[in-house]
Amino acid sequence: MKTINLNHVAVISVDNTKTFEDASYKELYVQEGEQAAQATKKLIDLLQPYGALIVNVFEQHPRGHISFADNYLDKKPFDMIAYKEVKDWTEENHGLALGAEFTVKELQSFLKTVGSQMLWPQHSKDRTDSAELMEPLKKDDFAITVIKGTNPAKEAYSGFDETDLDKKLTENQIQKVVLWWVATDYCVGKTALDAVDKWYEVIVVDDAVRGVASESTQVMIENFAQNNIRYVTLKELENILFA
């Protein structure tokens, strides 16, 4: 009988939290998010007994975060803000609200790097339960927890952005990562692309991810194919890992 060993595989849950999965929070709910949470639990229960490293990556933003529309005077959720709009702002004359925890110069520097930024409703706020795991997931399902998005002056979609995720994966001799949850077109996608850049073999599980918008989700799926990221069903994943 063949012995199955997944010691070099990390299963990474990205933003599997109430802010995205529980519609009652009215923050940034992703359609069918609660179904993805259930699929995530199934995936953990399947792979954990074979030695896979189960990792919880989630964002926890300060209320004055750069991506929150409330921190701008004339912006609303899902508006875009671009560098060309803010490049001439000064500390005396600008469009920042009082609650912003970043400076005009920090905003200009960030947008000069990324070009533009989608502005979101407040979500995944620190010191609230919106950043907590969605049932049926529990803290003890995970061996490692990584928090991202704590810098108020920078958006951090990727689990590798200003975190020690890569260090922890390296310490555990991980070669392959399996990703899921939200959102395909943002945090999962950006994490997957960064993982490839760091030379991990990457698999994204279709059954356990959801996207914010269909158009941007399709663009990200095309990016997966162009970067040798496998986008598979849970059944296909079983065949890959247990073949």
Side-chain angles (χ1 to χ4, degrees), residues 20-23 29-39 134-136 181 210:
F20 300 111
E21 301 177 5
D22 190 334
Y29 174 69
V30 176
Q31 195 68 29
E32 299 182 345
E34 61 278 4
Q35 295 179 24
Q38 294 163 7
M134 179 73 172
E135 298 82 4
W181 186 217
R210 295 293 185 274

Short mmCIF file of all heavy atoms in Angstrom, two decimals, residues 20-23 29-39 134-136 181 210:
data_model
loop_
_atom_site.label_atom_id
_atom_site.label_comp_id
_atom_site.label_asym_id
_atom_site.label_seq_id
_atom_site.Cartn_x
_atom_site.Cartn_y
_atom_site.Cartn_z
N PHE A 20 -16.36 38.91 4.60
CA PHE A 20 -16.62 38.54 3.22
C PHE A 20 -17.71 37.47 3.10
O PHE A 20 -18.32 37.33 2.04
CB PHE A 20 -15.35 38.00 2.57
CG PHE A 20 -14.22 38.98 2.54
CD1 PHE A 20 -13.08 38.77 3.32
CD2 PHE A 20 -14.27 40.11 1.75
CE1 PHE A 20 -12.03 39.67 3.29
CE2 PHE A 20 -13.23 41.02 1.72
CZ PHE A 20 -12.10 40.81 2.49
N GLU A 21 -17.93 36.69 4.16
CA GLU A 21 -18.77 35.49 4.05
C GLU A 21 -20.13 35.60 4.71
O GLU A 21 -21.02 34.83 4.41
CB GLU A 21 -18.02 34.30 4.65
CG GLU A 21 -16.70 34.04 3.97
CD GLU A 21 -15.93 32.91 4.62
OE1 GLU A 21 -16.44 32.26 5.53
OE2 GLU A 21 -14.80 32.68 4.19
N ASP A 22 -20.27 36.54 5.65
CA ASP A 22 -21.53 36.67 6.38
C ASP A 22 -22.25 37.93 5.89
O ASP A 22 -21.85 39.06 6.18
CB ASP A 22 -21.23 36.78 7.88
CG ASP A 22 -22.49 36.68 8.73
OD1 ASP A 22 -23.57 37.04 8.21
OD2 ASP A 22 -22.40 36.28 9.90
N ALA A 23 -23.33 37.72 5.15
CA ALA A 23 -24.05 38.85 4.54
C ALA A 23 -24.63 39.79 5.59
O ALA A 23 -24.82 40.98 5.31
CB ALA A 23 -25.17 38.32 3.65
N TYR A 29 -19.49 41.59 1.52
CA TYR A 29 -19.93 40.21 1.30
C TYR A 29 -19.70 39.78 -0.14
O TYR A 29 -20.02 40.51 -1.08
CB TYR A 29 -21.41 40.09 1.66
CG TYR A 29 -22.01 38.74 1.34
CD1 TYR A 29 -21.64 37.61 2.06
CD2 TYR A 29 -22.94 38.59 0.31
CE1 TYR A 29 -22.19 36.37 1.77
CE2 TYR A 29 -23.50 37.36 0.02
CZ TYR A 29 -23.12 36.24 0.76
OH TYR A 29 -23.66 35.02 0.47
N VAL A 30 -19.12 38.60 -0.30
CA VAL A 30 -18.92 38.00 -1.61
C VAL A 30 -19.98 36.93 -1.82
O VAL A 30 -20.16 36.05 -0.97
CB VAL A 30 -17.50 37.40 -1.72
CG1 VAL A 30 -17.33 36.69 -3.05
CG2 VAL A 30 -16.44 38.48 -1.56
N GLN A 31 -20.67 37.01 -2.93
CA GLN A 31 -21.79 36.09 -3.20
C GLN A 31 -21.37 34.63 -3.04
O GLN A 31 -20.33 34.22 -3.55
CB GLN A 31 -22.30 36.32 -4.63
CG GLN A 31 -23.65 35.71 -4.92
CD GLN A 31 -24.79 36.40 -4.17
OE1 GLN A 31 -24.70 37.57 -3.86
NE2 GLN A 31 -25.83 35.66 -3.86
N GLU A 32 -22.17 33.88 -2.27
CA GLU A 32 -21.95 32.45 -2.00
C GLU A 32 -20.72 32.23 -1.13
O GLU A 32 -20.18 31.13 -1.06
CB GLU A 32 -21.83 31.64 -3.29
CG GLU A 32 -23.07 31.69 -4.17
CD GLU A 32 -22.94 30.84 -5.41
OE1 GLU A 32 -21.79 30.44 -5.73
OE2 GLU A 32 -23.96 30.57 -6.06
N GLY A 33 -20.28 33.25 -0.42
CA GLY A 33 -19.10 33.12 0.42
C GLY A 33 -19.21 32.05 1.48
O GLY A 33 -18.25 31.32 1.77
N GLU A 34 -20.40 31.91 2.06
CA GLU A 34 -20.58 30.90 3.10
C GLU A 34 -20.38 29.49 2.54
O GLU A 34 -19.93 28.59 3.26
CB GLU A 34 -21.96 31.03 3.76
CG GLU A 34 -23.15 30.86 2.83
CD GLU A 34 -23.50 32.11 2.04
OE1 GLU A 34 -22.78 33.12 2.15
OE2 GLU A 34 -24.50 32.08 1.30
N GLN A 35 -20.69 29.29 1.27
CA GLN A 35 -20.46 27.98 0.65
C GLN A 35 -18.97 27.69 0.51
O GLN A 35 -18.52 26.56 0.68
CB GLN A 35 -21.13 27.93 -0.73
CG GLN A 35 -22.64 28.03 -0.67
CD GLN A 35 -23.27 28.01 -2.05
OE1 GLN A 35 -22.68 27.50 -3.00
NE2 GLN A 35 -24.46 28.57 -2.17
N ALA A 36 -18.20 28.73 0.24
CA ALA A 36 -16.75 28.55 0.14
C ALA A 36 -16.16 28.20 1.50
O ALA A 36 -15.21 27.42 1.59
CB ALA A 36 -16.10 29.81 -0.41
N ALA A 37 -16.71 28.76 2.57
CA ALA A 37 -16.24 28.42 3.91
C ALA A 37 -16.46 26.94 4.20
O ALA A 37 -15.60 26.27 4.78
CB ALA A 37 -16.95 29.29 4.95
N GLN A 38 -17.59 26.43 3.79
CA GLN A 38 -17.88 25.01 4.00
C GLN A 38 -16.95 24.13 3.16
O GLN A 38 -16.46 23.09 3.63
CB GLN A 38 -19.35 24.74 3.65
CG GLN A 38 -20.32 25.42 4.60
CD GLN A 38 -21.73 25.50 4.06
OE1 GLN A 38 -22.04 24.95 3.02
NE2 GLN A 38 -22.60 26.23 4.77
N ALA A 39 -16.67 24.56 1.93
CA ALA A 39 -15.75 23.81 1.08
C ALA A 39 -14.34 23.83 1.65
O ALA A 39 -13.58 22.86 1.55
CB ALA A 39 -15.75 24.39 -0.33
N MET A 134 -15.02 32.44 9.58
CA MET A 134 -16.43 32.10 9.36
C MET A 134 -16.66 30.63 9.74
O MET A 134 -15.84 29.77 9.43
CB MET A 134 -16.76 32.32 7.88
CG MET A 134 -18.19 31.98 7.51
SD MET A 134 -19.37 33.20 8.13
CE MET A 134 -20.87 32.62 7.31
N GLU A 135 -17.75 30.36 10.43
CA GLU A 135 -18.11 28.99 10.72
C GLU A 135 -18.32 28.22 9.41
O GLU A 135 -18.77 28.80 8.44
CB GLU A 135 -19.39 28.95 11.56
CG GLU A 135 -19.30 29.63 12.92
CD GLU A 135 -19.50 31.14 12.85
OE1 GLU A 135 -19.77 31.66 11.74
OE2 GLU A 135 -19.37 31.80 13.87
N PRO A 136 -17.94 26.94 9.36
CA PRO A 136 -17.56 26.07 10.48
C PRO A 136 -16.07 26.07 10.79
O PRO A 136 -15.60 25.22 11.54
CB PRO A 136 -17.99 24.69 9.97
CG PRO A 136 -17.75 24.77 8.50
CD PRO A 136 -18.10 26.19 8.10
N TRP A 181 -10.30 30.51 -1.15
CA TRP A 181 -11.20 31.48 -0.56
C TRP A 181 -11.30 32.75 -1.36
O TRP A 181 -11.46 32.72 -2.55
CB TRP A 181 -10.95 31.73 0.92
CG TRP A 181 -12.03 32.64 1.46
CD1 TRP A 181 -11.88 33.62 2.39
CD2 TRP A 181 -13.40 32.71 1.08
NE1 TRP A 181 -13.07 34.30 2.60
CE2 TRP A 181 -14.02 33.74 1.79
CE3 TRP A 181 -14.17 32.02 0.16
CZ2 TRP A 181 -15.36 34.09 1.64
CZ3 TRP A 181 -15.51 32.37 0.01
CH2 TRP A 181 -16.08 33.38 0.75
N ARG A 210 -14.31 32.29 -4.50
CA ARG A 210 -15.33 33.11 -5.14
C ARG A 210 -14.69 34.44 -5.52
O ARG A 210 -13.75 34.89 -4.87
CB ARG A 210 -16.52 33.35 -4.20
CG ARG A 210 -17.30 32.10 -3.83
CD ARG A 210 -18.02 31.49 -5.01
NE ARG A 210 -18.86 30.36 -4.63
CZ ARG A 210 -18.44 29.11 -4.52
NH1 ARG A 210 -17.18 28.80 -4.76
NH2 ARG A 210 -19.28 28.15 -4.18
#
